[in-house]
Amino acid sequence: MTAEFEPFVQIAGLIHALTNLADNLGQTTQEWMEQLQKGLYEQSREFATALAEHEKGQAEAFTILGQGGWVGMEWHFTESQARSALEICRSKGDTAMNDAMAKYFNANECILLSEMTEAWSRIPYLRDRQAIITDALSAHREGRFTLTVPSLLPLVEGLSVEIVGNPVPNENAVKVVARDWKQREAEIWAQVFADVIENVVYKRCDFRNVPASYLNRHGILHGGIPDYATGANSVRVFLLIDAIARLWVGKHSSPTQ
């Protein structure tokens, strides 16, 4: 090879090397993108599976609490606490879970119930009935549940009427509130609340022939249930009013109101 052609040979070699490099880079980039997409797909599947398990566990925990008549726990319990209640129910049974729930709200001289009822004072309907609420809380602290349950249950209905406005004649205002929330809220606790209202507290039954449920409003206020006066039932009624109170606040803080 003559010297005058050597620069051209070097340039040709450089071009060939750059071409090979570009081909290799293109192949490497394509492989990297394929691996990245595969990794992202696998991670998304793992995330979706974990999310589904999380939602399943959450739904199960709140469903079990609802079956025990404990409504509004999304405002009072963390998810971890809800799962703890579920574990107690699984390992020790319904009674142990209900006892644990009552103990939780009765701790420290019922401080949680006290804070709860103090917050109700922002609602005119409940503020006008503060004497009833104060006496009921005092009776609860003293263990006189024969006084707390029947004195507080009517407030559930009265406050629900405040939310509904002018209910249809013969239509239960509490059921209307529960059904409306269930339609608006996709979360499990709205479903749980509606189930407790429909199938426990306001379930229609002839308690002369069929025993009413443990917290049936008709059975209690019409003398059909003699053993309603338990600490758990008393807490349940406080929580029931609190759930309705929060729905009242939500309605009146809405921009459409």
Side-chain angles (χ1 to χ4, degrees):
M1 180 183 300
T2 59
E4 61 267 22
F5 288 106
E6 186 173 347
F8 296 100
V9 173
Q10 293 176 349
I11 293 173
L14 178 60
I15 293 173
H16 179 71
L18 290 174
T19 302
N20 289 336
L21 177 61
D23 291 341
N24 291 334
L25 283 175
Q27 183 179 7
T28 302
T29 301
Q30 182 178 359
E31 292 175 351
W32 178 79
M33 289 295 296
E34 290 175 352
Q35 292 176 358
L36 177 62
Q37 291 174 351
K38 182 180 179 180
L40 290 174
Y41 174 72
E42 291 176 351
Q43 288 181 358
S44 66
R45 288 186 60 187
E46 292 175 359
F47 177 77
T49 300
L51 182 61
E53 290 297 323
H54 169 82
E55 292 177 346
K56 179 181 177 181
Q58 182 186 60
E60 185 177 5
F62 280 97
T63 298
I64 290 298
L65 286 168
Q67 290 174 355
W70 304 101
V71 298
M73 299 314 300
E74 65 277 13
W75 291 302
H76 301 287
F77 263 21
T78 64
E79 183 180 333
S80 176
Q81 289 173 311
R83 288 178 181 272
S84 294
L86 174 61
E87 290 304 316
I88 292 174
C89 184
R90 284 174 172 171
S91 61
K92 299 181 180 180
D94 296 345
T95 300
M97 182 191 75
N98 292 334
D99 290 343
M101 295 292 292
K103 184 177 180 180
Y104 174 79
F105 284 98
N106 290 333
N108 299 319
E109 292 295 314
C110 306
I111 184 63
L112 293 178
L113 296 182
S114 179
E115 293 174 349
M116 183 189 303
T117 56
E118 287 176 5
W120 296 351
S121 61
R122 78 182 75 176
I123 301 174
Y125 175 86
L126 295 178
R127 186 168 59 244
D128 292 342
R129 290 155 181 80
Q130 192 61 45
I132 299 173
I133 296 168
T134 300
D135 287 350
L137 182 58
S138 296
H140 180 86
R141 286 195 178 105
E142 296 168 4
R144 295 188 291 166
F145 308 125
T146 54
L147 304 180
T148 61
V149 176
S151 64
L152 291 176
L153 270 176
L155 303 187
V156 176
E157 297 160 43
L159 184 56
S160 294
V161 172
E162 293 284 313
I163 295 175
V164 174
N166 295 314
V168 177
N170 300 321
E171 182 77 64
N172 185 294
V174 188
K175 289 185 177 181
V176 173
V177 170
R179 292 167 187 166
D180 177 68
W181 190 30
K182 178 182 174 181
Q183 291 177 349
R184 293 184 290 105
E185 176 64 77
E187 297 293 349
I188 183 64
W189 40 76
Q191 173 70 58
V192 166
F193 181 78
D195 288 345
V196 172
I197 294 300
E198 294 278 355
N199 301 319
V200 179
V201 184
Y202 292 93
K203 181 179 180 179
R204 288 289 182 182
C205 62
D206 182 358
F207 51 79
R208 294 170 298 180
N209 301 313
V210 180
S213 61
Y214 57 91
L215 191 60
N216 184 267
R217 179 263 188 208
H218 311 299
I220 293 172
L221 298 185
H222 293 288
I225 302 178
D227 55 352
Y228 67 84
T230 66
N233 266 354
S234 186
V235 174
R236 288 183 179 109
V237 178
F238 276 100
L239 291 171
L240 182 55
I241 295 176
D242 189 65
I244 300 292
R246 289 174 184 270
L247 293 175
W248 185 97
V249 171
K251 176 182 178 180
H252 287 78
S253 61
S254 172
T256 60
Q257 298 300 317

